[in-house]
Amino acid sequence: MKNLITLFAFILLAANAQSQTLSQKEITGTWLVQSVENSSSNPKMAAAMANAVINLYADNSFEIKEKEPGGTAYSYTTTTHKNATWNYNASTQTITTTRSKITFKVSKNGEKVFFTDENSGLKFEVVKPI
């Protein structure tokens, strides 16, 4: 009986952990930064990334577009290098990029998705607007 309870608890924990991971298909697309946490670790980057757009295209090309200060609601400037690419490691839940050398740790808490920049420590709450 004790082994059965232990097995049941393990299955519940494994199912919960699995539901909090994202596949490459789920990661691919356009992400809008909703909020930035830990902004004191890099205030300049935090300000630049507020309302930024992160594009992770299906062809593995990658770009970040920052909202232009004083621009219209749809005025963005691309800030990543031309021909930048991305790769996703589902087992570690990390997105790595070329050229800009950004590494995002992907996490999910309930319905909220977060990209944490491992270099700066900034944590971006992101949503797919489309």
Side-chain angles (χ1 to χ4, degrees), residues 2-73:
K2 187 175 182 179
N3 288 341
L4 185 60
I5 292 171
T6 304
L7 179 62
F8 182 69
F10 176 75
I11 291 171
L12 283 176
L13 288 173
N16 188 33
Q18 180 64 25
S19 68
Q20 297 299 310
T21 62
L22 296 167
S23 67
Q24 181 162 338
K25 185 177 179 179
E26 292 171 304
I27 292 295
T28 303
T30 297
W31 295 90
L32 177 64
V33 176
Q34 292 288 101
S35 65
V36 180
E37 295 179 15
N38 305 331
S39 59
S40 61
S41 68
N42 191 333
K44 186 176 179 182
M45 184 177 175
M49 289 297 291
N51 298 312
V53 174
I54 302 170
N55 289 311
L56 302 169
Y57 296 112
D59 67 355
N60 285 83
S61 60
F62 165 78
E63 69 181 358
I64 294 177
K65 292 184 174 190
E66 295 175 4
K67 184 140 176 60
E68 290 182 4
T72 66

Side-chain angles (χ1 to χ4, degrees), residues 2 10-12 18 20-21 26 28 35 37 39 48 70 74 80 87 89 93 111 116 118 122-123 125 127-128:
K2 187 175 182 179
F10 176 75
I11 291 171
L12 283 176
Q18 180 64 25
Q20 297 299 310
T21 62
E26 292 171 304
T28 303
S35 65
E37 295 179 15
S39 59
Y74 302 103
T80 47
N87 290 303
N89 184 329
Q93 296 285 289
E111 294 301 312
T116 303
E118 293 191 340
L122 294 174
K123 185 175 185 178
E125 180 183 344
V127 295
K128 280 190 174 180

